[in-house]
Amino acid sequence: MMIREMTHNECVTMVAEHHMARLACAKNDVPYVVPIHYAHSGSRLYAFSMPGKKLDILRANPRACVLIEVFEDKHRWKSVVVDAVFHELSDTEELHNERLKAWSLLSDDLDWWEPGALKPRPQPTVAVSPHVFFALEIETLSGREAKGDTS
């Protein structure tokens, strides 16, 4: 097996082509990792969530890491790591256009809302939607690819 560093453009292409990832964040030196559905545009990943642990942690510490990976088998895989900064897209006039952009990009994919909206327990009915859209501003990204033995 040969492992190589992916180029910046290869990393960006992989981020743009996929929509599921793992989001890592930490509070008080305790890591937390969850799956997210995202949409990519420019230097941002857009996602959404219901209130909960992930948002509490990101609000306290906006530094995050995203892992996007594709596995064919144990000798053929690709992974991209994105270091990012969390920005909540509150339902305000100032962020209205970016919030709509996030919703529009995310809604291009069928069932985009499921990872962020479904909870393992019943949720009370509320008058105002608790959904939170957010952006992850990409600071750096890097990737590796493994290819099977070509001999």
Side-chain angles (χ1 to χ4, degrees), residues 12-46:
V12 171
T13 297
M14 187 166 155
V15 169
E17 289 176 347
H18 293 86
H19 301 284
M20 291 297 297
R22 288 177 179 82
L23 170 71
C25 49
K27 183 175 178 185
N28 300 326
D29 295 327
V30 178
Y32 185 65
V33 179
V34 293
I36 63 166
H37 183 278
Y38 71 89
H40 172 253
S41 179
S43 65
R44 290 190 170 214
L45 303 179
Y46 291 102

PDB file of all heavy atoms in Angstrom, residues 12-46:
ATOM      1  N   VAL A  12      -9.945  20.118  -1.727  1.00  0.00           N
ATOM      2  CA  VAL A  12     -11.131  20.956  -1.954  1.00  0.00           C
ATOM      3  C   VAL A  12     -12.165  20.199  -2.773  1.00  0.00           C
ATOM      4  O   VAL A  12     -13.370  20.237  -2.471  1.00  0.00           O
ATOM      5  CB  VAL A  12     -10.739  22.282  -2.636  1.00  0.00           C
ATOM      6  CG1 VAL A  12     -11.973  23.063  -3.078  1.00  0.00           C
ATOM      7  CG2 VAL A  12      -9.884  23.133  -1.698  1.00  0.00           C
ATOM      8  N   THR A  13     -11.727  19.488  -3.786  1.00  0.00           N
ATOM      9  CA  THR A  13     -12.640  18.700  -4.617  1.00  0.00           C
ATOM     10  C   THR A  13     -13.356  17.646  -3.788  1.00  0.00           C
ATOM     11  O   THR A  13     -14.573  17.468  -3.906  1.00  0.00           O
ATOM     12  CB  THR A  13     -11.882  18.041  -5.792  1.00  0.00           C
ATOM     13  OG1 THR A  13     -11.342  19.081  -6.615  1.00  0.00           O
ATOM     14  CG2 THR A  13     -12.782  17.141  -6.609  1.00  0.00           C
ATOM     15  N   MET A  14     -12.627  16.954  -2.929  1.00  0.00           N
ATOM     16  CA  MET A  14     -13.257  15.931  -2.093  1.00  0.00           C
ATOM     17  C   MET A  14     -14.265  16.545  -1.136  1.00  0.00           C
ATOM     18  O   MET A  14     -15.364  16.004  -0.949  1.00  0.00           O
ATOM     19  CB  MET A  14     -12.194  15.139  -1.327  1.00  0.00           C
ATOM     20  CG  MET A  14     -12.787  13.977  -0.579  1.00  0.00           C
ATOM     21  SD  MET A  14     -11.512  12.851  -0.027  1.00  0.00           S
ATOM     22  CE  MET A  14     -12.341  12.098   1.355  1.00  0.00           C
ATOM     23  N   VAL A  15     -13.926  17.676  -0.530  1.00  0.00           N
ATOM     24  CA  VAL A  15     -14.858  18.357   0.370  1.00  0.00           C
ATOM     25  C   VAL A  15     -16.123  18.736  -0.396  1.00  0.00           C
ATOM     26  O   VAL A  15     -17.247  18.551   0.093  1.00  0.00           O
ATOM     27  CB  VAL A  15     -14.198  19.599   1.003  1.00  0.00           C
ATOM     28  CG1 VAL A  15     -15.223  20.462   1.723  1.00  0.00           C
ATOM     29  CG2 VAL A  15     -13.088  19.183   1.962  1.00  0.00           C
ATOM     30  N   ALA A  16     -15.969  19.255  -1.608  1.00  0.00           N
ATOM     31  CA  ALA A  16     -17.113  19.698  -2.405  1.00  0.00           C
ATOM     32  C   ALA A  16     -17.988  18.537  -2.879  1.00  0.00           C
ATOM     33  O   ALA A  16     -19.204  18.696  -3.017  1.00  0.00           O
ATOM     34  CB  ALA A  16     -16.625  20.506  -3.603  1.00  0.00           C
ATOM     35  N   GLU A  17     -17.383  17.381  -3.117  1.00  0.00           N
ATOM     36  CA  GLU A  17     -18.126  16.236  -3.669  1.00  0.00           C
ATOM     37  C   GLU A  17     -18.898  15.448  -2.618  1.00  0.00           C
ATOM     38  O   GLU A  17     -19.782  14.673  -2.973  1.00  0.00           O
ATOM     39  CB  GLU A  17     -17.171  15.285  -4.393  1.00  0.00           C
ATOM     40  CG  GLU A  17     -16.645  15.833  -5.699  1.00  0.00           C
ATOM     41  CD  GLU A  17     -15.634  14.918  -6.352  1.00  0.00           C
ATOM     42  OE1 GLU A  17     -15.132  13.961  -5.707  1.00  0.00           O
ATOM     43  OE2 GLU A  17     -15.320  15.171  -7.537  1.00  0.00           O
ATOM     44  N   HIS A  18     -18.570  15.615  -1.344  1.00  0.00           N
ATOM     45  CA  HIS A  18     -19.224  14.832  -0.302  1.00  0.00           C
ATOM     46  C   HIS A  18     -20.085  15.731   0.584  1.00  0.00           C
ATOM     47  O   HIS A  18     -19.979  16.954   0.537  1.00  0.00           O
ATOM     48  CB  HIS A  18     -18.170  14.080   0.511  1.00  0.00           C
ATOM     49  CG  HIS A  18     -17.498  13.029  -0.317  1.00  0.00           C
ATOM     50  ND1 HIS A  18     -16.406  13.301  -1.111  1.00  0.00           N
ATOM     51  CD2 HIS A  18     -17.791  11.738  -0.514  1.00  0.00           C
ATOM     52  CE1 HIS A  18     -16.051  12.206  -1.752  1.00  0.00           C
ATOM     53  NE2 HIS A  18     -16.876  11.239  -1.413  1.00  0.00           N
ATOM     54  N   HIS A  19     -20.928  15.077   1.400  1.00  0.00           N
ATOM     55  CA  HIS A  19     -21.856  15.840   2.243  1.00  0.00           C
ATOM     56  C   HIS A  19     -21.954  15.317   3.670  1.00  0.00           C
ATOM     57  O   HIS A  19     -22.612  15.937   4.494  1.00  0.00           O
ATOM     58  CB  HIS A  19     -23.245  15.860   1.611  1.00  0.00           C
ATOM     59  CG  HIS A  19     -23.232  16.464   0.243  1.00  0.00           C
ATOM     60  ND1 HIS A  19     -23.132  17.813   0.026  1.00  0.00           N
ATOM     61  CD2 HIS A  19     -23.264  15.884  -0.974  1.00  0.00           C
ATOM     62  CE1 HIS A  19     -23.122  18.054  -1.271  1.00  0.00           C
ATOM     63  NE2 HIS A  19     -23.183  16.894  -1.899  1.00  0.00           N
ATOM     64  N   MET A  20     -21.338  14.190   3.950  1.00  0.00           N
ATOM     65  CA  MET A  20     -21.337  13.642   5.307  1.00  0.00           C
ATOM     66  C   MET A  20     -19.920  13.687   5.856  1.00  0.00           C
ATOM     67  O   MET A  20     -18.959  13.444   5.123  1.00  0.00           O
ATOM     68  CB  MET A  20     -21.841  12.192   5.330  1.00  0.00           C
ATOM     69  CG  MET A  20     -23.316  12.048   5.022  1.00  0.00           C
ATOM     70  SD  MET A  20     -24.402  12.851   6.228  1.00  0.00           S
ATOM     71  CE  MET A  20     -24.037  11.945   7.721  1.00  0.00           C
ATOM     72  N   ALA A  21     -19.826  14.017   7.141  1.00  0.00           N
ATOM     73  CA  ALA A  21     -18.508  14.124   7.773  1.00  0.00           C
ATOM     74  C   ALA A  21     -18.651  13.869   9.262  1.00  0.00           C
ATOM     75  O   ALA A  21     -19.763  13.715   9.781  1.00  0.00           O
ATOM     76  CB  ALA A  21     -17.928  15.516   7.521  1.00  0.00           C
ATOM     77  N   ARG A  22     -17.522  13.861   9.926  1.00  0.00           N
ATOM     78  CA  ARG A  22     -17.497  13.817  11.385  1.00  0.00           C
ATOM     79  C   ARG A  22     -16.966  15.155  11.871  1.00  0.00           C
ATOM     80  O   ARG A  22     -15.935  15.626  11.396  1.00  0.00           O
ATOM     81  CB  ARG A  22     -16.601  12.675  11.864  1.00  0.00           C
ATOM     82  CG  ARG A  22     -17.221  11.320  11.616  1.00  0.00           C
ATOM     83  CD  ARG A  22     -16.279  10.197  12.035  1.00  0.00           C
ATOM     84  NE  ARG A  22     -16.869   8.902  11.820  1.00  0.00           N
ATOM     85  CZ  ARG A  22     -16.891   8.256  10.655  1.00  0.00           C
ATOM     86  NH1 ARG A  22     -16.344   8.812   9.598  1.00  0.00           N
ATOM     87  NH2 ARG A  22     -17.441   7.071  10.550  1.00  0.00           N
ATOM     88  N   LEU A  23     -17.692  15.745  12.798  1.00  0.00           N
ATOM     89  CA  LEU A  23     -17.313  17.028  13.385  1.00  0.00           C
ATOM     90  C   LEU A  23     -16.755  16.765  14.774  1.00  0.00           C
ATOM     91  O   LEU A  23     -17.400  16.121  15.599  1.00  0.00           O
ATOM     92  CB  LEU A  23     -18.527  17.948  13.479  1.00  0.00           C
ATOM     93  CG  LEU A  23     -18.331  19.229  14.282  1.00  0.00           C
ATOM     94  CD1 LEU A  23     -17.428  20.198  13.527  1.00  0.00           C
ATOM     95  CD2 LEU A  23     -19.679  19.877  14.576  1.00  0.00           C
ATOM     96  N   ALA A  24     -15.554  17.272  15.021  1.00  0.00           N
ATOM     97  CA  ALA A  24     -14.934  17.151  16.340  1.00  0.00           C
ATOM     98  C   ALA A  24     -14.842  18.531  16.965  1.00  0.00           C
ATOM     99  O   ALA A  24     -14.480  19.512  16.306  1.00  0.00           O
ATOM    100  CB  ALA A  24     -13.542  16.536  16.223  1.00  0.00           C
ATOM    101  N   CYS A  25     -15.187  18.594  18.237  1.00  0.00           N
ATOM    102  CA  CYS A  25     -15.064  19.821  19.010  1.00  0.00           C
ATOM    103  C   CYS A  25     -14.679  19.405  20.430  1.00  0.00           C
ATOM    104  O   CYS A  25     -14.691  18.223  20.758  1.00  0.00           O
ATOM    105  CB  CYS A  25     -16.363  20.629  18.974  1.00  0.00           C
ATOM    106  SG  CYS A  25     -17.863  19.700  19.329  1.00  0.00           S
ATOM    107  N   ALA A  26     -14.326  20.380  21.262  1.00  0.00           N
ATOM    108  CA  ALA A  26     -13.884  20.030  22.610  1.00  0.00           C
ATOM    109  C   ALA A  26     -14.215  21.157  23.578  1.00  0.00           C
ATOM    110  O   ALA A  26     -14.180  22.336  23.228  1.00  0.00           O
ATOM    111  CB  ALA A  26     -12.385  19.760  22.638  1.00  0.00           C
ATOM    112  N   LYS A  27     -14.527  20.735  24.804  1.00  0.00           N
ATOM    113  CA  LYS A  27     -14.769  21.688  25.885  1.00  0.00           C
ATOM    114  C   LYS A  27     -14.059  21.162  27.123  1.00  0.00           C
ATOM    115  O   LYS A  27     -14.205  19.978  27.466  1.00  0.00           O
ATOM    116  CB  LYS A  27     -16.269  21.833  26.151  1.00  0.00           C
ATOM    117  CG  LYS A  27     -16.596  22.864  27.203  1.00  0.00           C
ATOM    118  CD  LYS A  27     -18.095  23.032  27.332  1.00  0.00           C
ATOM    119  CE  LYS A  27     -18.417  24.042  28.420  1.00  0.00           C
ATOM    120  NZ  LYS A  27     -19.865  24.125  28.634  1.00  0.00           N
ATOM    121  N   ASN A  28     -13.286  22.023  27.755  1.00  0.00           N
ATOM    122  CA  ASN A  28     -12.536  21.632  28.951  1.00  0.00           C
ATOM    123  C   ASN A  28     -11.679  20.391  28.700  1.00  0.00           C
ATOM    124  O   ASN A  28     -11.656  19.464  29.509  1.00  0.00           O
ATOM    125  CB  ASN A  28     -13.467  21.408  30.144  1.00  0.00           C
ATOM    126  CG  ASN A  28     -14.253  22.643  30.490  1.00  0.00           C
ATOM    127  OD1 ASN A  28     -13.768  23.763  30.358  1.00  0.00           O
ATOM    128  ND2 ASN A  28     -15.491  22.455  30.923  1.00  0.00           N
ATOM    129  N   ASP A  29     -11.024  20.362  27.544  1.00  0.00           N
ATOM    130  CA  ASP A  29     -10.145  19.263  27.149  1.00  0.00           C
ATOM    131  C   ASP A  29     -10.854  17.922  26.996  1.00  0.00           C
ATOM    132  O   ASP A  29     -10.211  16.873  27.009  1.00  0.00           O
ATOM    133  CB  ASP A  29      -8.977  19.113  28.137  1.00  0.00           C
ATOM    134  CG  ASP A  29      -8.066  20.323  28.123  1.00  0.00           C
ATOM    135  OD1 ASP A  29      -7.905  20.942  27.052  1.00  0.00           O
ATOM    136  OD2 ASP A  29      -7.497  20.649  29.182  1.00  0.00           O
ATOM    137  N   VAL A  30     -12.175  17.948  26.836  1.00  0.00           N
ATOM    138  CA  VAL A  30     -12.934  16.720  26.603  1.00  0.00           C
ATOM    139  C   VAL A  30     -13.453  16.754  25.169  1.00  0.00           C
ATOM    140  O   VAL A  30     -14.271  17.603  24.815  1.00  0.00           O
ATOM    141  CB  VAL A  30     -14.110  16.587  27.597  1.00  0.00           C
ATOM    142  CG1 VAL A  30     -14.916  15.328  27.302  1.00  0.00           C
ATOM    143  CG2 VAL A  30     -13.602  16.577  29.028  1.00  0.00           C
ATOM    144  N   PRO A  31     -12.971  15.844  24.311  1.00  0.00           N
ATOM    145  CA  PRO A  31     -13.398  15.844  22.908  1.00  0.00           C
ATOM    146  C   PRO A  31     -14.809  15.284  22.737  1.00  0.00           C
ATOM    147  O   PRO A  31     -15.286  14.487  23.552  1.00  0.00           O
ATOM    148  CB  PRO A  31     -12.373  14.945  22.226  1.00  0.00           C
ATOM    149  CG  PRO A  31     -11.866  14.060  23.305  1.00  0.00           C
ATOM    150  CD  PRO A  31     -11.958  14.836  24.592  1.00  0.00           C
ATOM    151  N   TYR A  32     -15.437  15.706  21.658  1.00  0.00           N
ATOM    152  CA  TYR A  32     -16.780  15.253  21.303  1.00  0.00           C
ATOM    153  C   TYR A  32     -16.823  15.165  19.781  1.00  0.00           C
ATOM    154  O   TYR A  32     -16.445  16.110  19.093  1.00  0.00           O
ATOM    155  CB  TYR A  32     -17.816  16.250  21.825  1.00  0.00           C
ATOM    156  CG  TYR A  32     -19.252  15.860  21.627  1.00  0.00           C
ATOM    157  CD1 TYR A  32     -19.793  14.747  22.258  1.00  0.00           C
ATOM    158  CD2 TYR A  32     -20.080  16.617  20.815  1.00  0.00           C
ATOM    159  CE1 TYR A  32     -21.124  14.405  22.088  1.00  0.00           C
ATOM    160  CE2 TYR A  32     -21.421  16.282  20.635  1.00  0.00           C
ATOM    161  CZ  TYR A  32     -21.932  15.177  21.276  1.00  0.00           C
ATOM    162  OH  TYR A  32     -23.256  14.834  21.115  1.00  0.00           O
ATOM    163  N   VAL A  33     -17.251  14.029  19.255  1.00  0.00           N
ATOM    164  CA  VAL A  33     -17.291  13.813  17.800  1.00  0.00           C
ATOM    165  C   VAL A  33     -18.689  13.342  17.423  1.00  0.00           C
ATOM    166  O   VAL A  33     -19.235  12.428  18.051  1.00  0.00           O
ATOM    167  CB  VAL A  33     -16.250  12.755  17.359  1.00  0.00           C
ATOM    168  CG1 VAL A  33     -16.321  12.519  15.863  1.00  0.00           C
ATOM    169  CG2 VAL A  33     -14.852  13.177  17.774  1.00  0.00           C
ATOM    170  N   VAL A  34     -19.250  13.974  16.360  1.00  0.00           N
ATOM    171  CA  VAL A  34     -20.580  13.612  15.888  1.00  0.00           C
ATOM    172  C   VAL A  34     -20.617  13.658  14.361  1.00  0.00           C
ATOM    173  O   VAL A  34     -19.863  14.403  13.738  1.00  0.00           O
ATOM    174  CB  VAL A  34     -21.667  14.558  16.442  1.00  0.00           C
ATOM    175  CG1 VAL A  34     -21.820  14.402  17.939  1.00  0.00           C
ATOM    176  CG2 VAL A  34     -21.369  15.999  16.084  1.00  0.00           C
ATOM    177  N   PRO A  35     -21.503  12.876  13.759  1.00  0.00           N
ATOM    178  CA  PRO A  35     -21.674  12.983  12.308  1.00  0.00           C
ATOM    179  C   PRO A  35     -22.470  14.239  11.976  1.00  0.00           C
ATOM    180  O   PRO A  35     -23.350  14.648  12.745  1.00  0.00           O
ATOM    181  CB  PRO A  35     -22.459  11.716  11.952  1.00  0.00           C
ATOM    182  CG  PRO A  35     -23.189  11.358  13.198  1.00  0.00           C
ATOM    183  CD  PRO A  35     -22.329  11.814  14.343  1.00  0.00           C
ATOM    184  N   ILE A  36     -22.138  14.861  10.853  1.00  0.00           N
ATOM    185  CA  ILE A  36     -22.918  15.995  10.374  1.00  0.00           C
ATOM    186  C   ILE A  36     -23.125  15.867   8.869  1.00  0.00           C
ATOM    187  O   ILE A  36     -22.355  15.200   8.179  1.00  0.00           O
ATOM    188  CB  ILE A  36     -22.259  17.371  10.672  1.00  0.00           C
ATOM    189  CG1 ILE A  36     -20.906  17.509   9.954  1.00  0.00           C
ATOM    190  CG2 ILE A  36     -22.158  17.631  12.153  1.00  0.00           C
ATOM    191  CD1 ILE A  36     -20.353  18.929   9.924  1.00  0.00           C
ATOM    192  N   HIS A  37     -24.157  16.491   8.401  1.00  0.00           N
ATOM    193  CA  HIS A  37     -24.391  16.667   6.976  1.00  0.00           C
ATOM    194  C   HIS A  37     -24.011  18.110   6.693  1.00  0.00           C
ATOM    195  O   HIS A  37     -24.377  19.012   7.434  1.00  0.00           O
ATOM    196  CB  HIS A  37     -25.869  16.423   6.660  1.00  0.00           C
ATOM    197  CG  HIS A  37     -26.167  16.517   5.208  1.00  0.00           C
ATOM    198  ND1 HIS A  37     -26.367  17.709   4.573  1.00  0.00           N
ATOM    199  CD2 HIS A  37     -26.276  15.562   4.258  1.00  0.00           C
ATOM    200  CE1 HIS A  37     -26.594  17.493   3.303  1.00  0.00           C
ATOM    201  NE2 HIS A  37     -26.533  16.199   3.081  1.00  0.00           N
ATOM    202  N   TYR A  38     -23.254  18.353   5.626  1.00  0.00           N
ATOM    203  CA  TYR A  38     -22.798  19.708   5.347  1.00  0.00           C
ATOM    204  C   TYR A  38     -22.943  20.021   3.863  1.00  0.00           C
ATOM    205  O   TYR A  38     -23.096  19.133   3.026  1.00  0.00           O
ATOM    206  CB  TYR A  38     -21.337  19.898   5.785  1.00  0.00           C
ATOM    207  CG  TYR A  38     -20.349  19.165   4.896  1.00  0.00           C
ATOM    208  CD1 TYR A  38     -19.808  19.782   3.763  1.00  0.00           C
ATOM    209  CD2 TYR A  38     -19.983  17.856   5.154  1.00  0.00           C
ATOM    210  CE1 TYR A  38     -18.930  19.102   2.933  1.00  0.00           C
ATOM    211  CE2 TYR A  38     -19.111  17.172   4.323  1.00  0.00           C
ATOM    212  CZ  TYR A  38     -18.588  17.804   3.215  1.00  0.00           C
ATOM    213  OH  TYR A  38     -17.735  17.135   2.384  1.00  0.00           O
ATOM    214  N   ALA A  39     -22.884  21.306   3.552  1.00  0.00           N
ATOM    215  CA  ALA A  39     -22.791  21.790   2.179  1.00  0.00           C
ATOM    216  C   ALA A  39     -21.576  22.701   2.123  1.00  0.00           C
ATOM    217  O   ALA A  39     -21.281  23.413   3.081  1.00  0.00           O
ATOM    218  CB  ALA A  39     -24.052  22.549   1.796  1.00  0.00           C
ATOM    219  N   HIS A  40     -20.875  22.684   1.009  1.00  0.00           N
ATOM    220  CA  HIS A  40     -19.642  23.454   0.862  1.00  0.00           C
ATOM    221  C   HIS A  40     -19.863  24.614  -0.095  1.00  0.00           C
ATOM    222  O   HIS A  40     -20.486  24.455  -1.147  1.00  0.00           O
ATOM    223  CB  HIS A  40     -18.542  22.534   0.326  1.00  0.00           C
ATOM    224  CG  HIS A  40     -17.285  23.241  -0.034  1.00  0.00           C
ATOM    225  ND1 HIS A  40     -16.908  23.446  -1.345  1.00  0.00           N
ATOM    226  CD2 HIS A  40     -16.316  23.803   0.720  1.00  0.00           C
ATOM    227  CE1 HIS A  40     -15.751  24.084  -1.365  1.00  0.00           C
ATOM    228  NE2 HIS A  40     -15.378  24.322  -0.133  1.00  0.00           N
ATOM    229  N   SER A  41     -19.342  25.786   0.278  1.00  0.00           N
ATOM    230  CA  SER A  41     -19.361  26.942  -0.612  1.00  0.00           C
ATOM    231  C   SER A  41     -18.186  27.837  -0.250  1.00  0.00           C
ATOM    232  O   SER A  41     -18.081  28.311   0.897  1.00  0.00           O
ATOM    233  CB  SER A  41     -20.673  27.718  -0.467  1.00  0.00           C
ATOM    234  OG  SER A  41     -20.674  28.848  -1.325  1.00  0.00           O
ATOM    235  N   GLY A  42     -17.296  28.039  -1.200  1.00  0.00           N
ATOM    236  CA  GLY A  42     -16.139  28.902  -0.965  1.00  0.00           C
ATOM    237  C   GLY A  42     -15.293  28.389   0.180  1.00  0.00           C
ATOM    238  O   GLY A  42     -14.847  27.244   0.178  1.00  0.00           O
ATOM    239  N   SER A  43     -15.096  29.230   1.182  1.00  0.00           N
ATOM    240  CA  SER A  43     -14.261  28.852   2.328  1.00  0.00           C
ATOM    241  C   SER A  43     -15.098  28.419   3.530  1.00  0.00           C
ATOM    242  O   SER A  43     -14.625  28.441   4.662  1.00  0.00           O
ATOM    243  CB  SER A  43     -13.369  30.026   2.731  1.00  0.00           C
ATOM    244  OG  SER A  43     -14.168  31.106   3.193  1.00  0.00           O
ATOM    245  N   ARG A  44     -16.342  28.011   3.286  1.00  0.00           N
ATOM    246  CA  ARG A  44     -17.220  27.624   4.392  1.00  0.00           C
ATOM    247  C   ARG A  44     -17.916  26.294   4.145  1.00  0.00           C
ATOM    248  O   ARG A  44     -18.239  25.947   3.011  1.00  0.00           O
ATOM    249  CB  ARG A  44     -18.285  28.695   4.627  1.00  0.00           C
ATOM    250  CG  ARG A  44     -17.694  29.955   5.209  1.00  0.00           C
ATOM    251  CD  ARG A  44     -18.744  30.913   5.662  1.00  0.00           C
ATOM    252  NE  ARG A  44     -18.092  31.985   6.416  1.00  0.00           N
ATOM    253  CZ  ARG A  44     -18.624  32.603   7.434  1.00  0.00           C
ATOM    254  NH1 ARG A  44     -19.823  32.312   7.841  1.00  0.00           N
ATOM    255  NH2 ARG A  44     -17.961  33.551   8.063  1.00  0.00           N
ATOM    256  N   LEU A  45     -18.135  25.596   5.250  1.00  0.00           N
ATOM    257  CA  LEU A  45     -19.024  24.448   5.272  1.00  0.00           C
ATOM    258  C   LEU A  45     -20.260  24.909   6.032  1.00  0.00           C
ATOM    259  O   LEU A  45     -20.138  25.576   7.067  1.00  0.00           O
ATOM    260  CB  LEU A  45     -18.388  23.267   6.008  1.00  0.00           C
ATOM    261  CG  LEU A  45     -17.048  22.762   5.493  1.00  0.00           C
ATOM    262  CD1 LEU A  45     -16.564  21.599   6.353  1.00  0.00           C
ATOM    263  CD2 LEU A  45     -17.134  22.358   4.041  1.00  0.00           C
ATOM    264  N   TYR A  46     -21.437  24.581   5.521  1.00  0.00           N
ATOM    265  CA  TYR A  46     -22.679  24.957   6.185  1.00  0.00           C
ATOM    266  C   TYR A  46     -23.346  23.708   6.733  1.00  0.00           C
ATOM    267  O   TYR A  46     -23.350  22.657   6.091  1.00  0.00           O
ATOM    268  CB  TYR A  46     -23.625  25.659   5.209  1.00  0.00           C
ATOM    269  CG  TYR A  46     -23.126  27.019   4.796  1.00  0.00           C
ATOM    270  CD1 TYR A  46     -22.517  27.214   3.570  1.00  0.00           C
ATOM    271  CD2 TYR A  46     -23.252  28.116   5.643  1.00  0.00           C
ATOM    272  CE1 TYR A  46     -22.054  28.465   3.186  1.00  0.00           C
ATOM    273  CE2 TYR A  46     -22.793  29.367   5.271  1.00  0.00           C
ATOM    274  CZ  TYR A  46     -22.195  29.535   4.045  1.00  0.00           C
ATOM    275  OH  TYR A  46     -21.734  30.775   3.673  1.00  0.00           O
TER     276      TYR A  46
END
